[in-house]
């Protein structure tokens, strides 16, 4: 176990590194579809094709990026911090072009939209995979990992809340271009500055010089380990449901409730339960196990929305459901990355391979694939239902599609994920404790062997 504890200033820096990651996918998932369709005039079906095409590319680019990052040399600064800084810069530039490019060159808007959106899958990879690879190498202490996972969850929650409150207030009307310019400019700066300052402030303690370097073919052996593929199957289902909601929410507030700024109030209300849940889930996981608390969180976050079917126009029911689902979301988000760190340890123990980049690459692929699928589903269904961006009041089939996307879809995907996780994930509380002990013993033996190899000749002399 590492004897150098994670210091408070590092935790603050880790918070900002994660905070800087949030605006990229949050704004893309929530507003890019409505921006491209109503502001840029791109057909929703064309957007759906773009989202799906990008996800096909991600299957290759994410795997390659994770492989390359794992095989990069470790500098004095660490293994993943330099690439996090580089990734933050190029991702921020690409992010700005994805929004402003179609506005600056309307004649080539479709080409620019396709090129920049496909490139975000690569530039965000470098930033996101490097960031998600930091947790396993910052500490191997389970309590510190849970603490850092909680910080990551709080950062993600804070980013989502700030974006959820600020974006509708800045935009006012998601169908008009005026609000997008200050919104995207501000958050482009946030992406680069927070991520860079965060990377400079953390420390990589856990080094894996004694583990074998895997080949590209062996990377697929890593993905076939049961904890790895079970976790990511569940995350895929849950995130698809969440991204369907994200893509459809702006339509829901605009065309069902008739007021986009209500989403700011809902976001603030969610904070009432998400924040306490995020803060206590680490302690609950230490007591009851991550597997149990993660399953509970998935069930609450996904199924709570069903109550909205009582009256889809009721703001009071919406607020109540928001409070309830916030508890589940507060459990799920921090545990996602702590479980991935445990899966990295599992691979090290079973295969003797350092796989931080590979597993983070799969995480990045799952996130973006789910965003593509989740973003494509509302676009396809809205197009089939006859969505017309020129109408202020949409037809009943369009409204039914919007309601199905924001209420029914997340419940179906989340509950299916709960069933898979509770049935298939092998690392319950006891198994995880055994794994941690075995791995610490192995690392201690390797460290002792290193010392003996260095001191042996000296003693003999």
């Amino acid at each position: 176990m590492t004897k150098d504890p994670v210091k408070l200033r590092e935790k603050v820096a880790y918070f900002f590194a994660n905070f800087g990651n949030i605006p990229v996918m949050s704004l893309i998932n929530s507003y890019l579809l409505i921006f491209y369709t109503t502001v840029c005039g791109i057909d929703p079906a064309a957007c759906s094709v773009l989202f799906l095409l990008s996800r096909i590319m991600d299957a290759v680019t994410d795997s390659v990026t994770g492989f390359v990052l794992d095989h990069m040399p470790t500098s004095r600064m660490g293994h993943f911090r330099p690439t996090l800084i580089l990734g933050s810069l190029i991702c921020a530039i690409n992010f700005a072009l994805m929004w402003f490019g179609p506005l600056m060159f309307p004649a080539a808007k479709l080409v620019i939209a396709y090129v920049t959106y496909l490139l975000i899958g690569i530039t965000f990879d470098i930033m996101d995979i490097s960031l998600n690879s930091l947790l396993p190498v910052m500490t191997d202490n389970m309590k510190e990992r849970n603490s850092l996972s909680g910080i990551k969850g709080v950062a993600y929650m804070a980013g989502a809340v700030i974006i959820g409150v600020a974006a509708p207030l800045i935009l006012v009307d998601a169908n008009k271009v005026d609000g997008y310019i200050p919104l995207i400019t501000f958050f482009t700066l946030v992406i680069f500055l927070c991520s860079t300052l965060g990377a400079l402030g953390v420390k990589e303690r856990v080094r894996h010089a004694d583990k074998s370097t895997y080949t590209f073919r062996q990377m697929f052996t890593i993905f076939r380990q049961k904890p790895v593929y079970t976790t990511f199957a569940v995350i895929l289902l849950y995130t698809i449901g969440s991204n369907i909601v994200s893509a459809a929410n702006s339509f829901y507030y605009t065309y069902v409730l008739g007021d986009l700024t209500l989403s700011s109030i809902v976001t603030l209300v969610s904070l009432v339960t998400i924040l306490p849940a995020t803060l206590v889930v680490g302690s609950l996981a230490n007591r009851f196990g991550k597997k149990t608390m993660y399953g509970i969180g998935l069930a609450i976050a996904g199924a709570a929305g069903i109550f909205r079917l009582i009256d889809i126009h009721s703001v009071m029911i919406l607020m109540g459901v928001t409070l309830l689902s916030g508890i589940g979301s507060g459990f799920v988000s921090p545990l996602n990355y702590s479980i991935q760190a445990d899966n990295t340890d599992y691979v090290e123990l079973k295969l003797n391979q350092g796989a931080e980049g590979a597993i983070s690459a799969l995480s990045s692929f799952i996130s973006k694939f789910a965003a593509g699928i989740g973003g494509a589903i509302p676009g396809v269904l809205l197009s089939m239902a006859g969505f017309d961006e020129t109408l202020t009041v949409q037809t009943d089939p369009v409204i039914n599609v919007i309601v199905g996307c924001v209420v029914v879809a997340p419940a179906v995907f989340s509950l299916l994920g709960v069933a898979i996780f509770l049935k298939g994930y092998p690392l319950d509380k006891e198994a995880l404790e055994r794994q941690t002990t075995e791995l610490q013993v192995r690392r201690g033996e390797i460290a002792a062997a290193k010392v003996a190899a260095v001191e042996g000749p000296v003693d003999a002399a």
Side-chain angles (χ1 to χ4, degrees), residues 263-277:
S263 63
S264 296
I265 300 174
V266 171
T267 302
L268 287 174
V269 169
S270 70
L271 189 62
V272 174
T273 51
I274 290 180
L275 180 57

Side-chain angles (χ1 to χ4, degrees), residues 2 6 134-141 144-145 148 205-206:
T2 52
V6 179
L134 281 179
L135 181 57
V137 298
M138 285 181 66
T139 180
D140 59 0
N141 182 292
E144 285 191 337
R145 279 190 178 178
L148 289 172
R205 291 169 176 77
V206 182

Side-chain angles (χ1 to χ4, degrees), residues 29-195:
N29 295 344
S30 298
Y31 294 104
L32 191 64
L33 178 61
I34 197 168
F35 173 77
Y36 276 172
T37 54
T38 62
V39 176
C40 299
I42 300 174
D43 183 73
C47 294
S48 297
V49 171
L50 169 60
F51 296 159
L52 291 174
L53 179 61
S54 178
R55 300 298 74 88
I56 294 172
M57 286 185 57
D58 286 339
V60 176
T61 60
D62 286 14
S63 300
V64 171
T65 304
F67 179 85
V68 170
L69 290 178
D70 268 339
H71 290 75
M72 291 281 287
T74 300
S75 68
R76 293 178 60 186
M77 190 177 183
H79 195 92
F80 297 106
R81 293 165 68 208
T83 51
L84 174 54
I85 295 172
L86 173 64
S88 301
L89 174 61
I90 60 178
C91 183
I93 294 172
N94 191 169
F95 179 76
L97 290 174
M98 186 172 59
W99 298 85
F100 295 148
L103 295 178
M104 293 187 294
F105 305 99
K109 61 186 178 184
L110 188 60
V111 174
I112 294 173
Y114 266 66
V115 171
T116 54
Y117 188 82
L118 292 175
L119 283 176
I120 203 73
I122 301 173
T123 58
F124 183 67
D125 270 357
I126 301 172
M127 173 183 173
D128 189 52
I129 294 172
S130 299
L131 173 64
N132 290 334
S133 298
L134 281 179
L135 181 57
V137 298
M138 285 181 66
T139 180
D140 59 0
N141 182 292
M142 198 56 58
K143 290 186 177 180
E144 285 191 337
R145 279 190 178 178
N146 285 339
S147 175
L148 289 172
S149 296
I151 291 170
K152 191 179 188 77
V154 171
Y156 278 21
M157 176 204 63
V161 168
I162 289 173
I163 292 171
V165 172
L169 296 177
I170 295 172
L171 290 175
V172 180
D173 187 344
N175 297 325
K176 295 182 180 180
V177 68
D178 297 349
Y180 285 100
I181 296 174
L183 178 71
I184 301 305
T185 300
F186 173 74
F187 281 108
T188 297
L189 293 174
V190 168
I191 292 166
F192 174 66
L193 293 177
C194 288
S195 299

Side-chain angles (χ1 to χ4, degrees), residues 191-407:
I191 292 166
F192 174 66
L193 293 177
C194 288
S195 299
T196 300
L197 292 174
L200 292 172
V202 300
K203 180 180 179 181
E204 297 183 23
R205 291 169 176 77
V206 182
R207 301 297 174 95
H208 300 306
D210 297 281
K211 294 189 297 185
S212 62
T213 302
Y214 63 89
T215 65
F216 193 77
R217 177 177 293 181
Q218 289 173 327
M219 180 167 62
F220 296 97
T221 302
I222 294 171
F223 294 164
R224 289 198 298 269
Q225 301 305 302
K226 191 172 184 179
V228 176
Y229 71 71
T230 302
T231 299
F232 285 114
V234 174
I235 293 175
L236 175 63
L237 290 169
Y238 174 74
T239 312
I240 287 175
S242 299
N243 279 283
I244 291 174
V245 177
S246 296
N249 252 345
S250 54
F251 293 88
Y252 169 73
Y253 287 104
T254 300
Y255 297 109
V256 177
L257 294 183
D259 186 358
L260 181 64
T261 59
L262 271 175
S263 63
S264 296
I265 300 174
V266 171
T267 302
L268 287 174
V269 169
S270 70
L271 189 62
V272 174
T273 51
I274 290 180
L275 180 57
T278 301
L279 294 176
V280 303
V281 70
S283 298
L284 292 174
N286 288 334
R287 181 175 180 181
F288 300 107
K290 297 179 189 179
K291 180 177 179 178
T292 298
M293 297 311 304
Y294 191 67
I296 292 173
L298 285 172
I300 296 175
I306 292 295
F307 290 106
R308 291 170 64 180
L309 292 176
I310 296 172
D311 183 358
I312 198 63
H313 298 280
S314 172
V315 176
M316 291 301 297
I317 293 177
L318 172 61
M319 297 300 179
V321 167
T322 298
L323 290 172
L324 181 58
S325 62
I327 297 173
S329 299
F331 288 171
V332 170
S333 182
L335 292 179
N336 265 338
Y337 296 96
S338 182
I339 288 173
Q340 288 179 39
D342 297 338
N343 292 346
T344 301
D345 286 349
Y346 181 92
V347 170
E348 179 183 350
L349 189 62
K350 297 297 181 181
L351 304 179
N352 194 37
Q353 293 174 341
E356 291 87 0
I359 291 178
S360 294
L362 183 56
S363 173
S364 179
F365 170 69
I366 292 296
S367 175
K368 292 185 294 180
F369 183 79
I373 297 295
I377 288 174
V380 170
L381 295 178
L382 286 170
S383 182
M384 292 173 60
F387 173 78
D388 186 345
E389 69 273 11
T390 64
L391 299 178
T392 55
V393 178
Q394 297 294 327
T395 63
D396 287 343
V398 171
I399 298 301
N400 289 337
V401 165
I402 294 172
V403 171
C405 287
V406 299
V407 175

